[in-house]
């Protein structure tokens, strides 16, 4: 909370309220994401849909950024283990 | 970033370094949906939920300023910020209109 603008030492009960609100938010998002009666697992597409309103633009952008980073790391790992294998064959 | 004061830099570092605990987020997802959540999905949710925290704190600061108050944010600032957020965005799902919210909970 300090990182986002609160005091260096936020009030403890404010922190508790933040946690309550945050949990409620995550619960809301998950329930909304899965509402369309589906019994399948929560997917990224579900989250994309839930965050598609203008008010959620920042959150959606952050999600896309994280997805991109996840892919990047996966690719980097794959390349790394490929070069490992190449070394082994030499 | 070179133009940051020491306080600004300190705050920026705190912003960058801290994230929501992934395991805790994962548990909330799993308890809510009654199904397993993958680690990447939990990571994603933790990511944008952090943005949500930011939005709450910024709004709470605005509430505090409008009231001419100072110091650490109070629970009331935060609750008011959340109330405003829900009013402005009609809660999370686009399907739920703001008016409809009060149908079952009087």
């Amino acid at each position: 909370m300090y990182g986002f603008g609160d005091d260096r030492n936020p009030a403890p009960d404010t922190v508790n309220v933040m946690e309550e609100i945050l949990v409620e938010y995550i619960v809301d998002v998950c329930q909304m994401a899965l509402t369309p009666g589906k019994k399948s697992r929560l997917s990224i597409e579900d989250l994309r849909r839930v965050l598609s309103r203008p008010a959620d633009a920042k959150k959606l952008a952050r999600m896309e950024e994280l997805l991109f980073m996840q892919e990047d790391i996966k690719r980097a790992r794959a390349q790394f283990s490929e070069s490992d294998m190449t070394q082994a064959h030499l | 970033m070179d133009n940051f004061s020491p306080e600004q830099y300190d705050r920026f570092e705190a912003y960058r370094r801290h994230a929501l605990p992934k395991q805790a987020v994962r548990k909330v997802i799993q308890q809510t949906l009654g199904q397993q959540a993958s680690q990447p999905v939990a990571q994603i949710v933790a990511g944008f939920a952090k943005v949500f925290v930011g939005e709450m704190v910024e709004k709470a600061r605005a509430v505090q300023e409008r009231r001419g108050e100072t110091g650490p944010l109070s629970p009331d600032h935060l609750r008011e910020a959340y109330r405003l957020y829900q009013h402005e965005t009609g809660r999370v799902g686009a399907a739920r209109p703001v008016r409809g919210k009060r149908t079952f909970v009087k």
Side-chain angles (χ1 to χ4, degrees):
Chain A
M1 285 173 66
Y2 165 59
F4 282 118
D6 199 353
D7 218 67
R8 210 167 198 296
N9 296 305
D13 41 358
T14 308
V15 175
N16 289 336
V17 169
M18 185 72 246
E19 179 161 330
E20 276 173 34
I21 291 175
L22 179 60
V23 171
E24 190 175 312
Y25 174 73
I26 295 174
V27 168
D28 267 359
V29 169
C30 290
Q31 287 178 336
M32 283 284 109
L34 220 38
T35 294
K38 287 162 57 179
K39 287 276 176 157
S40 48
R41 291 260 217 112
L42 179 69
S43 73
I44 295 300
E45 267 317 304
D46 291 327
L47 292 172
R48 263 200 195 107
R49 189 182 17 91
V50 170
L51 292 180
S52 60
R53 302 173 309 156
D56 295 326
K58 259 199 226 172
K59 301 192 269 296
L60 181 63
R62 180 57 178 162
M63 179 169 97
E64 300 298 353
E65 184 184 7
L66 290 168
L67 282 167
F68 179 76
M69 278 166 29
Q70 278 181 351
E71 274 309 299
D72 223 18
I73 292 173
K74 239 198 267 176
R75 254 176 278 141
R77 282 214 184 104
Q79 279 181 354
F80 185 72
S81 54
E82 255 174 45
S83 66
D84 263 4
M85 310 245 273
T86 319
Q87 296 285 21
H89 287 302
L90 285 177
Chain B
M1 262 174 57
D2 296 331
N3 290 323
F4 279 3
S5 69
E7 298 82 38
Q8 285 172 328
Y9 189 74
D10 195 57
R11 191 186 296 277
F12 181 66
E13 259 200 282
Y15 157 70
R16 291 279 283 165
R17 289 215 180 136
H18 295 108
L20 298 181
K22 314 264 192 290
Q23 283 306 96
V25 172
R26 197 174 183 191
K27 256 197 223 147
V28 172
I29 300 174
Q30 292 181 160
Q31 283 171 2
T32 305
L33 300 178
Q35 52 173 240
Q36 293 283 56
S38 73
Q39 219 244 50
V41 166
Q43 222 168 15
I44 299 288
V45 175
F48 70 73
K50 180 180 165 181
V51 175
F52 172 74
V53 171
E55 290 170 347
M56 283 298 104
V57 172
E58 280 175 22
K59 248 190 175 32
R61 273 298 188 205
V63 168
Q64 187 188 44
E65 197 173 313
R66 272 199 295 268
R67 295 182 187 176
E69 293 164 2
T70 56
L73 291 170
S74 75
D76 195 53
H77 296 143
L78 214 43
R79 286 212 175 90
E80 178 62 15
Y82 189 41
R83 200 192 59 80
L84 286 169
Y85 176 82
Q86 292 181 331
H87 180 78
E88 288 164 16
T89 61
R91 260 187 150 216
V92 173
R96 273 200 266 184
V98 178
R99 260 185 303 134
K101 221 168 55 140
R102 283 281 173 217
T103 307
F104 301 106
V105 181
K106 295 285 179 181

